[in-house]
Amino acid sequence: MVGMSTFLRYGVGYRVVLDIFTLTFHELSEQLGSVYGKGPFHAKVLMREILKSGNVNWHNAPEFRQSQKLTRQLTMDLEIPIPEVSRCVSENSTIKFLCRFKDSLESESVIIPMQRHNTLCISSQIGCKMGCRFCETGNMGFKRHLSASEIVGQVFAARFILKKEIRNLVFMGMGEPFDNFEQVRQAIEVLSDQRGFDFAHRRITVSTAGLIEGITRLGKLNWPRINLALSLNAPNDEIRSYLMPVNKRYPMAELKKALISYPLRKKGLFLIEYVLINGLNDSETHARELAEFLAPLPVRLNLIPLNKTHGFPHDHTHDKDVHRFAAFLEDKGIYVIKRWSKGSSLSAGCGQLGSGASLNLP
Ligand code: SF4
C-alpha cells in the first residue's frame, strides 16, 4: 500500500524501512510512534532537514543530537532514495535531466525557466500506454509505473542536486498520471506538505490525455486548487482518434461531460493543450469546431506548434497560421496562449520526452 513502511529481511529478523519520499507527515509520525515510541516532533524535523533543506545529514540537527538512540536506529532504517541524475543537458536555461532508478530505468524531467521562476515538468511513468502518435514517449511503449518515491525523487534532484529554485510542478513528462493515480496522489500529498517541499496545490498541474475515471477521481479528492490540464489536440473525434487512440475509449462528448461535472473552483479554468499540426488540425473549420467544443467550459487554451518526433509524418503549423488560428478563437471569446516550445532542440519540448538516449553528458 502506498505510504506504508516496508519490512526487509535483515539477518535473522526483519527491519523497518522508512522511505522519506513516500510518507506523508502523518504516516511518518505514526511510524515513528509505533516503531520507536516517538512522533510528530521528530517527523517534523526530518521533513524540515531532508525535504525542505536537502540535508541528507539530518542526524546533525540539534533535535537528533539529543536523541542518540533514535538517531542510531533511524540511520539504519530511514531511506532517502535520491535518484542518480544520469544525464543532463541544457540550452537557453531549459534543462532536461534523466533520473536513473534502482532497476536502471530512467525517467525524464525538464526544468523550464518562466519569467520569474522555474517550472519543473515531471514524469509519472517510464514510457506510456496511451500511444499518442505525435509523442516520443508514446512511441517507446510502456515500461513501468513510477512509485510516489520516484516521482518525489525527481523534484529532490531538481532542487538539491541541480540546485534550481522550483516554483511550479507540472505532471506533463513521461506517462499518463491518471494511469498511475494512487502513486501520483501520494506524491502530491508529500510534495504539498508545508513542512517539507511546500508546493501549494495551486502550483501543481496534472495533465491527462483524457482518462475520464481519473478526472472523476481527482474531482472527488476535494483538492479544488489543483490545476487540471487536458491534452486535447483535435477539434473532433476523427482527428483525435487518429492522434490519440485513447479517444476511442473516451470520445470527446464523454470527455466534455466529465469536465462539465468536474468540481472546478470558483473562477477556476481548465488548461487545454492543443498541439498545432500543419494541415491536420489547424484550419479555420477546425478552429470553429474547437470553439464549439470549448464553448461551455471555462478554459485557458495553450496552442503549441508541434515539436518534431521520430516517425510522425507531419510538420508544425507555421507562425502566421498559429496567429490566424488563435485570432479566430479569441474572437469567439476563448482565452488563448500561444506557447512557443522551449527546449525542442534538446528533445525536451512537449511530446519529445523519451528520446533521452540522444543526450550528451554535461
Ligand atoms: S502525450 Fe502524454 S499521454 Fe500521450 S503518449 Fe505522450 S506521454 Fe502518453
Side-chain angles (χ1 to χ4, degrees), residues 127-132 134-139 173-176 208-209 231 244 351:
C128 185
K129 294 178 203 162
M130 300 300 125
C132 304
F134 54 86
C135 173
E136 206 70 66
T137 312
N139 287 338
M174 298 164 93
E176 161 56 56
T208 179
S231 185
M244 305 177 74

Side-chain angles (χ1 to χ4, degrees), residues 274-290:
Y274 194 98
V275 169
L276 279 164
I277 306 167
N278 189 24
L280 199 114
N281 64 358
D282 62 351
S283 72
E284 192 172 316
T285 311
H286 297 144
R288 185 171 298 111
E289 281 180 290
L290 179 61

Side-chain angles (χ1 to χ4, degrees), residues 20-189:
I20 189 76
F21 289 169
T22 303
L23 297 167
T24 64
F25 172 71
H26 296 291
E27 289 163 346
L28 184 59
S29 302
E30 267 177 34
Q31 291 295 318
L32 292 180
S34 61
V35 184
Y36 315 103
K38 300 289 179 183
F41 175 78
H42 287 95
K44 207 167 164 180
V45 177
L46 286 173
M47 289 182 77
R48 182 195 72 207
E49 290 299 314
I50 302 167
L51 305 184
K52 205 183 242 326
S53 310
N55 175 20
V56 293
N57 297 315
W58 51 270
H59 31 79
N60 291 336
E63 294 88 341
F64 280 102
R65 277 196 249 123
Q66 289 156 16
S67 308
Q68 302 246 329
K69 187 172 168 220
L70 175 67
T71 304
R72 270 198 305 279
Q73 288 168 317
L74 278 179
T75 304
M76 301 268 290
D77 298 343
L78 188 75
E79 281 215 341
I80 312 173
I82 303 167
E84 175 199 351
V85 175
S86 53
R87 290 179 243 185
C88 180
V89 64
S90 74
E91 189 184 276
N92 296 333
S93 308
T94 296
I95 300 171
K96 172 169 159 177
F97 65 94
L98 273 60
C99 288
R100 181 177 290 152
F101 301 109
K102 281 182 185 157
D103 58 2
S104 295
L105 287 177
E106 292 170 321
S107 69
E108 299 190 14
S109 317
V110 185
I111 301 170
I112 308 156
M114 308 307 272
Q115 260 171 358
R116 286 195 295 270
H117 55 264
N118 293 313
T119 290
L120 176 63
C121 175
I122 47 180
S123 296
S124 54
Q125 298 175 318
I126 297 181
C128 185
K129 294 178 203 162
M130 300 300 125
C132 304
R133 278 180 189 250
F134 54 86
C135 173
E136 206 70 66
T137 312
N139 287 338
M140 73 185 269
F142 177 70
K143 306 272 190 240
R144 71 169 172 85
H145 295 300
L146 289 177
S147 65
S149 174
E150 290 166 329
I151 295 169
V152 171
Q154 295 168 63
V155 182
F156 187 95
R159 266 209 179 153
F160 301 118
I161 299 177
L162 301 175
K163 300 197 186 313
K164 293 291 169 191
E165 196 55 55
I166 305 295
R167 181 118 163 261
N168 295 329
L169 295 178
V170 293
F171 282 84
M172 292 185 187
M174 298 164 93
E176 161 56 56
F178 290 158
D179 188 39
N180 189 18
F181 194 94
E182 264 313 296
Q183 300 298 323
V184 168
R185 187 200 56 74
Q186 182 76 12
I188 292 174
E189 295 265 16

Side-chain angles (χ1 to χ4, degrees), residues 6 16 55 74 122 161 203-204 208 254 275 298 304 308 318 322 332 340 360:
T6 50
V16 68
N55 175 20
L74 278 179
I122 47 180
I161 299 177
R203 304 247 170 249
I204 301 175
T208 179
E254 297 298 313
V275 169
I304 313 149
K308 202 71 200 145
H318 303 299
V322 174
K332 300 279 177 201
W340 309 108
N360 299 315

